[in-house]
Structure formats: C-alpha cells, structure tokens
Amino acid sequence: MASEEEQSSLEEPSPPRTPTSWPSQPLLLDPAYARSKSVIHDELRSFRVFLQWCALDHSSPAARAASYAAFLALALAVPAAVTASLRADASLSPASASAVTFNRVATLTASGLAAVSFVTMAVFFRRCGGLRQLLFLDGGLRDDTAFVRRRYERELDRAFRLLAALLVPALCVEAAHKAVFFFSTVRVDPLLPLPHVPWRAVALVATVASWVYRTGVFLLVCVLFRLTCELQILRFEGIYHMFDAEACAAADEIFVEHRRIRTQLLATSHRYRVFIICCLVTITVSQLGALLVALSSQDGKSFANSGDLLVGSSVQLSGFFMCLFGAARITHRAQRIVSIASQWHMRMLSAAPHHGKPAVSTSASDIDRVALTAPLLPGAGCDYKSRQALVTYLWHNSGGITLFGFTLDRGLLHTIFAFEMTLVLWILSKAVVFS
C-alpha cells in the first residue's frame, strides 16, 4: 500500500512553486535560471561595484540624489575650496607661484572632463535604463553565438583590468605629487581658519579623493565606450564566419544580423558623439593653456610644481585615445565586410553548377549575364539576386562610428592629429623667439 502511494505521488506532477514554497536554496544557484538573462552569472558585477563606490548608481531616487550630491561635492566644491586656499610661498619653494598656476589649470581641466562624463552617464541611465541596456546586453547575449559570448566575457574582465591599470598607477603618482605639493611647495590658508587643524593633511586627503572621483568618472565612460565597440567587433567577426562555406548561411540571415549590428552602431554614435566632441575640445584647450603657461613661466619645471599637468595629461589622453582607437577599429571592421561579402558572392557564383564552360571574363556585365542565363539548379537565380542585393546593401551601409556624419576612421584621426600639431606649432611660433 505504501509503495502504491509513493508511486502515485511520483506520477503526479508537482504543483508550481509559490514564493512561500520556494526552498531555502538561493535562486542564483537554481539550474533552471542558467543563462536566463545572465542571472546566474552577472558579467557586469565589477562595473556595478565600481559604480556604487564612485557614487554613480542611478538605480533608485535615493541613489540618484546621492550621486548628484557626490558630484557637486567632489567634482566642484572640494577642488574650488582647495584652489582658493592655496598661497604661493617663496620661502618654501622658488617655484611656488608657478606650482599654484599649474595646479589651477590641471584642476579646471579635470573638473570639466568630470562634468562632461557625469552628465553623459546621467543621460545614459535616464534614456537606456541601466548598464545592461547601455552595452546592448538586453537578452544576455542569447542572440549571439557561443564564440561571441565567450570572447565578450573575456573582454568584460579585460576592460575592468584596463580601468584599474590606468587608475591605480596614476593614483600613486598623483598622491606622491600632492604630498610634495602641499607640504613643501605651497601654503594652505583655509577660508575658515580653525586652530589645531592640520589643514595640509586635510587638503591632501580631500584633493586625492576628488582626483580619484573625477578621473574615475572620465575613465569609466571611456572604458564603457571601448567595451561597446569590442562587442560590435566580436559580432562582426561572427558575421565573417557566416560567409564560410561550412556555415551555409543564406543572404537574408546575414542581412538580419548586419541590420541588428548597424542599428546598434547608430545608437552608439548618437550616444557618445557629444561626449567625444566635448572631450576633444576640453583636452585641446587645456593642453594649449598648459603650453602657454609653461612657456610664460620663468621658473624651472620639476615634479613638485608641474606634476599635476604630467599626471592629468597622461590620464586624459590615454582615455581619449582609447575611445578614438576603439571607434576606428570597429569602423574598419564594418568597412571590411564589403570585401568579404564580394568574395563570398563570387565564390558562390563560381561554384554554382552549370552546363558548358563559359568564357573567362572579368567584366561585371559578363558575370551577371552568365549567372542569369546559365542553366543553374532550381532557385539559383533567386540566390544570385539575393547575394547581389546583399552586397549592394553592405556597400552603401559600411560605415561604423560617426560624429555628425563624419566617419571616425584612421583618416579622421590623421586629420585631428594634424589639427592639433598645427595649433601647437602655431603657439610655439608665437611664444618662442630665437635671437
């Protein structure tokens, strides 16, 4: 009797689980949730932790308010208060006056880039709704191949390591410079002097914390842009594999996949174009301003007085060129697909069986005439037209990241470099006079 009851209980389907009947085992460990919207493995966990530590989490009204408060305090109030309290003291260092000037230029540039980056992040979270939507991971990479998923998970880890590799060494150098700057180069006179308060130490800690926040916000946006480009590059490599003979992919399948990537590239261009242009203008003006200040100063240049410009310029240029190189890479991947599609179309045309051996000709009109008039297999004419339409579509939609219609490729990078060099040489010709 007991065995029959046990057997009947095994045959009866178990009722659906309700919140009160869920086991004590966490849902993240339940195999039923494997790869379901990446719940069992959050690929963006490192970035979410970094957002929380940098007070950039906009997931709730309270977190959004704390984020705006942190930005006003660390990116605007603290640098302004510390800069206003600095005084040149020739008894401490002969280059004290130039050190204060260099510090103001570096502080203004870092605050400007932090403001641009913070506004960009705030707009991202308001329009996209979250970090996963921003990186086009709405479906948890379920629409992509296993090759793209594996490579992209490695790119996520690599991107966070790159962020740490840029931020940590620069932080060590900046902290060493600020220690020398506050304790042996300038004098600190606070706006509200209080007795028995180590104002030099307070200014040092506040300045380093502000620098970490401003630099972290800027580098985070640069890394996110590079990560978005890397995902699209991997997806383009997935399309390249679709042109292989073993894949046997149809033209309509390739068109749908390319259309999806093209839509995401347009969205990426619209999201980051203002950020890239604002960074270009800010960095250009700051570099030219630093050059003018350095040329007009009669003091000797050393790590104590000009270390701000050294560290700030290195970090800013590294992040900005990271964006430019990432955009140029994906643009050339998008342009390369036209050549691959043309070779695929010609290979399929040459491999198509037909009666008789046509005359060898390299003319496009002759190839079309032979392909359309030769007795191919049933449906081959439709396949030819589909492939020809796909090649034509890719030819007219081979752009990558654009800035208001200008394709961000190596040609535009060369133009930007020539423009920057022209400005620098012009300023040098006005400031340096050889007698």
Side-chain angles (χ1 to χ4, degrees):
M1 185 65 180
S3 60
E4 294 179 358
E5 292 180 354
E6 292 177 359
Q7 184 176 1
S8 62
S9 63
L10 291 176
E11 292 176 356
E12 292 177 359
S14 58
R17 292 185 299 179
T18 59
T20 58
S21 63
W22 278 347
S24 58
Q25 181 184 11
L27 292 179
L28 297 179
L29 301 180
D30 192 342
Y33 290 88
R35 296 304 304 173
S36 176
K37 295 185 179 180
S38 300
V39 174
I40 194 171
H41 176 64
D42 188 3
E43 303 95 340
L44 305 177
R45 181 176 59 86
S46 300
F47 287 96
R48 299 184 196 280
V49 173
F50 188 83
L51 288 176
Q52 294 175 358
W53 278 97
C54 289
L56 293 174
D57 186 14
H58 288 202
S59 58
S60 63
R64 191 179 303 110
S67 178
Y68 280 99
F71 169 75
L72 295 176
L74 294 177
L76 300 180
V78 171
V82 173
T83 303
S85 63
L86 296 180
R87 299 292 184 271
D89 192 347
S91 61
L92 294 176
S93 174
S96 181
S98 61
V100 173
T101 304
F102 291 150
N103 179 78
R104 291 174 179 174
V105 174
T107 301
L108 184 62
T109 304
S111 298
L113 288 178
V116 173
S117 304
F118 182 82
V119 172
T120 302
M121 290 291 295
V123 172
F124 284 167
F125 287 125
R126 187 178 70 250
R127 293 182 179 179
C128 301
L131 194 60
R132 187 171 297 277
Q133 289 77 15
L134 175 63
L135 295 175
F136 302 105
L137 300 177
D138 305 26
L141 295 176
R142 289 177 300 173
D143 297 334
D144 298 285
T145 61
F147 167 79
V148 176
R149 288 198 298 267
R150 290 194 302 268
R151 292 284 300 273
Y152 191 61
E153 289 178 358
R154 290 200 294 265
E155 287 296 333
L156 285 170
D157 298 335
R158 181 184 176 188
F160 191 77
R161 290 197 300 268
L162 179 60
L163 177 61
L166 290 176
L167 188 59
V168 174
L171 172 60
C172 297
V173 178
E174 179 69 13
H177 164 71
K178 289 303 180 184
V180 177
F181 178 78
F182 283 113
F183 286 95
S184 63
T185 306
V186 298
R187 188 178 74 254
V188 178
D189 293 336
L191 301 178
L192 298 175
L194 297 176
H196 309 294
V197 176
W199 288 111
R200 294 180 184 272
V202 172
L204 173 62
V205 173
T207 303
V208 172
S210 174
W211 184 90
V212 170
Y213 177 82
R214 291 176 293 171
T215 307
V217 172
F218 170 68
L219 290 180
L220 180 62
V221 179
C222 296
V223 168
L224 289 178
F225 177 76
R226 178 186 177 276
L227 192 57
T228 305
C229 293
E230 289 297 330
L231 174 59
Q232 306 306 329
I233 289 175
L234 292 177
R235 286 174 174 168
F236 270 117
E237 292 181 0
I239 291 186
Y240 297 163
H241 293 309
M242 296 178 69
F243 289 105
D244 295 338
E246 295 80 5
C248 298
D252 55 348
E253 298 177 358
I254 301 175
F255 168 75
V256 171
E257 181 65 18
H258 184 272
R259 184 60 181 170
R260 181 171 72 102
I261 300 176
R262 180 64 178 169
T263 303
Q264 295 177 358
L265 287 180
L266 292 177
T268 303
S269 301
H270 284 280
R271 291 174 183 175
Y272 288 95
R273 59 185 181 182
V274 176
F275 170 76
I276 294 177
I277 292 178
C278 290
C279 287
L280 175 62
V281 174
T282 303
I283 293 176
T284 300
V285 173
S286 67
Q287 295 298 314
L288 296 180
L291 179 61
L292 289 176
V293 171
L295 292 176
S296 61
S297 176
Q298 302 298 327
D299 299 331
K301 310 303 182 296
S302 63
F303 178 74
N305 61 351
S306 60
D308 278 327
L309 297 179
L310 173 64
V311 179
S313 299
S314 301
V315 174
Q316 294 161 12
L317 291 177
S318 299
F320 183 64
F321 280 111
M322 184 195 308
C323 296
L324 294 183
F325 290 153
R329 286 185 61 200
I330 193 173
T331 298
H332 288 281
R333 293 297 194 285
Q335 295 173 350
R336 183 189 173 194
I337 196 173
V338 179
S339 174
I340 296 178
S342 301
Q343 298 175 14
W344 166 74
H345 180 36
M346 190 61 204
R347 186 171 63 250
M348 296 293 291
L349 181 61
S350 301
H354 54 82
H355 299 284
K357 186 175 181 181
V360 178
S361 176
T362 58
S363 174
S365 60
D366 292 342
I367 292 176
D368 293 345
R369 178 179 54 79
V370 171
L372 294 178
T373 58
L376 306 180
L377 292 177
C382 296
D383 294 339
Y384 169 80
K385 294 179 181 179
S386 299
R387 294 195 303 269
Q388 184 67 28
L390 177 63
V391 173
T392 305
Y393 161 77
L394 294 176
W395 177 266
H396 293 284
N397 293 272
S398 60
I401 303 297
T402 59
L403 298 178
F404 296 100
F406 296 94
T407 303
L408 191 52
D409 53 1
R410 292 191 183 96
L412 185 59
L413 293 183
H414 295 162
T415 303
I416 294 176
F417 178 78
F419 175 74
E420 298 290 340
M421 285 299 299
T422 302
L423 287 179
V424 170
L425 294 177
W426 179 75
I427 290 179
L428 288 176
S429 65
K430 296 297 182 180
V432 179
V433 178
F434 297 97
S435 58

